[in-house]
Amino acid sequence: MDYLLQLAASPTAWIALATLVVMEIVLGIDNLIFISILTNKLPEQHRAKARRIGIGMALILRLGLLSTIAFIVQLTEPVIEILGQAFSWKDMILIAGGLFLLWKATTEIHHSMDPAPNDPKSATSGVTLGFAAAIGQILMLDLVFSIDSIITAVGMTEHLPIMIIAVVVSVLVMLLAAEPLAKFINDNPTVVMLALGFLIMIGMTLIAEGFGAHVPKGYIYAAMAFSAAIETLNMLSRRARQKTLAESA
């Protein structure tokens, strides 16, 4: 109790908490984009449930990993060396997650450009398999993003209560933003392609990080913000043209 009171009275602890909350929210954007794209492929009545499960699992994984900080720190220690390049468990997990994101985003882009014929299977079977597959893929990426998130938290502060608060706040923000973001992506098909491009970039960044090439996150998010701003201008331009055509008609 005295320890918590000391933290609450420390300006440094509040600054660390605010900084870490912002960092965790930014890192959660990648996770949220993936969840939004994946759940939008499910039947509408299952989307909200899948998003809640996906984000709930992200919270459970992050809190679970926080309870094993000593183990998480060891994940950064080299365990194998290939052609002079040392790899830790964290590196291999990031590389695997990056490859999965590249595969998933490329597959989704292919399906968007060249849609497959309607599946002759029954609707019930498709919903069950689709929901299970979506949850499995969300869980896989939750693990990758959670490890990256917790290692970032451990590197920024040594106080476990600050880490827990930051993680809980960031996941709550994800939960609040999930529905509007998914609806926005679903209502604007061109945004889907942009978001898939983001996932490819994030996947390449994870692979680069796994091979020891540090990519400043500021560059990645600045590029994403710039692309999003351009797409916003395109959307406003299209709506203006549609409004003009409607008025002239």
Side-chain angles (χ1 to χ4, degrees):
M1 179 63 72
D2 291 340
Y3 171 64
L4 294 177
L5 290 175
Q6 289 175 359
L7 277 181
S10 171
T12 304
W14 284 101
I15 293 173
L17 176 60
T19 305
L20 189 54
V21 165
V22 172
M23 284 294 299
E24 291 294 325
I25 290 173
V26 170
L27 290 173
I29 292 173
D30 307 343
N31 208 169
L32 192 55
I33 290 174
F34 180 79
I35 290 174
S36 298
I37 290 177
L38 202 60
T39 53
N40 278 346
K41 296 182 69 65
L42 294 172
E44 190 169 354
Q45 65 270 25
H46 295 283
R47 293 175 186 174
K49 179 181 178 182
R51 282 192 286 271
R52 287 194 295 270
I53 292 175
I55 296 173
M57 289 190 302
L59 176 60
I60 293 171
L61 279 172
R62 282 163 167 77
L63 293 178
L65 290 172
L66 277 175
S67 66
T68 58
I69 286 181
F71 171 72
I72 293 298
V73 171
Q74 291 176 359
L75 289 180
T76 60
E77 297 295 326
V79 293
I80 190 173
E81 185 173 325
I82 301 175
L83 299 177
Q85 175 71 44
F87 295 94
S88 64
W89 283 112
K90 176 199 172 187
D91 296 331
M92 290 185 281
I93 290 170
L94 291 180
I95 291 171
L99 290 173
F100 175 77
L101 271 183
L102 289 181
W103 169 77
K104 186 62 181 176
T106 303
T107 303
E108 294 299 327
I109 290 174
H110 175 72
H111 287 167
S112 297
M113 300 297 292
D114 185 21
N118 292 332
D119 190 355
K121 294 180 181 180
S122 67
T124 305
S125 173
V127 168
T128 304
L129 293 175
F131 188 83
I135 295 300
Q137 293 178 35
I138 289 172
L139 179 59
M140 183 185 301
L141 261 296
D142 274 348
L143 178 61
V144 174
F145 289 126
S146 293
I147 289 175
D148 193 28
S149 169
I150 297 307
I151 289 177
T152 299
V154 171
M156 291 187 65
T157 181
E158 59 183 12
H159 302 296
L160 184 60
I162 291 178
M163 298 181 203
I164 292 175
I165 293 172
V167 165
V168 171
V169 170
S170 66
V171 173
L172 288 176
V173 170
M174 286 173 60
L175 190 61
L176 293 174
E179 193 71 26
L181 178 62
K183 185 177 185 305
F184 178 75
I185 290 176
N186 190 56
D187 293 343
N188 298 275
T190 56
V191 175
V192 175
M193 200 62 67
L194 181 65
L196 290 172
F198 288 164
L199 291 182
I200 289 178
M201 183 167 60
I202 293 165
M204 289 301 299
T205 302
L206 291 177
I207 293 172
E209 294 275 358
F211 278 95
H214 177 65
V215 181
K217 292 294 192 296
Y219 293 140
I220 301 300
Y221 295 116
M224 291 171 64
F226 178 77
S227 301
I230 296 299
E231 180 58 28
T232 300
L233 293 175
N234 286 331
M235 291 169 58
L236 293 174
S237 177
R238 284 194 297 270
R239 289 178 182 176
R241 286 198 300 270
Q242 291 171 358
K243 183 178 180 181
T244 302
L245 289 174
E247 290 175 350
S248 62

